[in-house]
Amino acid sequence: MTLIQGLWNASVCTRSFLRRRMPTNVLLDKIRNRRGLKWGIPAMFLGGAYIFLAAVCITLIDQGWNKALYLLFLLLLWNGLKFLWIGPVRLVLLVRVRAQEARARKRNSAAPVEPAPHP
């Protein structure tokens, strides 16, 4: 196995672990399915809270706290951006899915119902 293959495999395993186990990724996966589409806009509020906490970390660092808070800042910022991004995307998908469902209902109600043949 070459170095590139090893790095690729480690990257895939890490992504798989983070996707299945990290709370924000689990929540985003639940929002990405059909039943979770309606939660896109409320998730943006959670994203705003993450961004606010990231700003608090920067304020604490500026006041002389440990520079290791930059790691927490990056984590909070990344999660906040994920949640802020999911809101508009899910809203567009929700509108599209509801329009498709309305067209399907209209098509089904407009189709003539043929009587069942009698034996």
Side-chain angles (χ1 to χ4, degrees), residues 20 24 27 29 32 44 47 59 63 65 76 80 96 115:
R20 287 181 281 125
T24 56
L27 183 58
D29 284 341
R32 286 184 184 113
M44 289 180 64
T59 303
Q63 291 178 357
W65 284 48
L76 291 169
R96 185 184 303 168

Side-chain angles (χ1 to χ4, degrees), residues 22-96:
M22 295 297 126
T24 56
N25 292 335
V26 171
L27 183 58
L28 286 171
D29 284 341
K30 290 187 185 295
I31 292 172
R32 286 184 184 113
N33 67 27
R34 169 58 182 102
R35 287 183 20 201
L37 285 177
K38 63 185 173 190
W39 295 103
I41 299 299
M44 289 180 64
F45 293 116
L46 185 57
Y50 273 112
I51 299 294
F52 173 75
L53 291 173
V56 168
C57 282
I58 291 297
T59 303
L60 292 175
I61 292 168
D62 288 343
Q63 291 178 357
W65 284 48
N66 193 344
K67 302 282 186 203
L69 282 177
Y70 277 121
L71 294 174
L72 182 59
F73 163 76
L74 288 174
L75 179 67
L76 291 169
L77 183 65
W78 178 251
N79 286 329
L81 292 175
K82 285 192 301 189
F83 279 107
L84 287 176
W85 169 81
I86 199 80
V89 171
R90 292 297 121 179
L91 182 61
V92 168
L93 288 176
L94 180 62
V95 168
R96 185 184 303 168

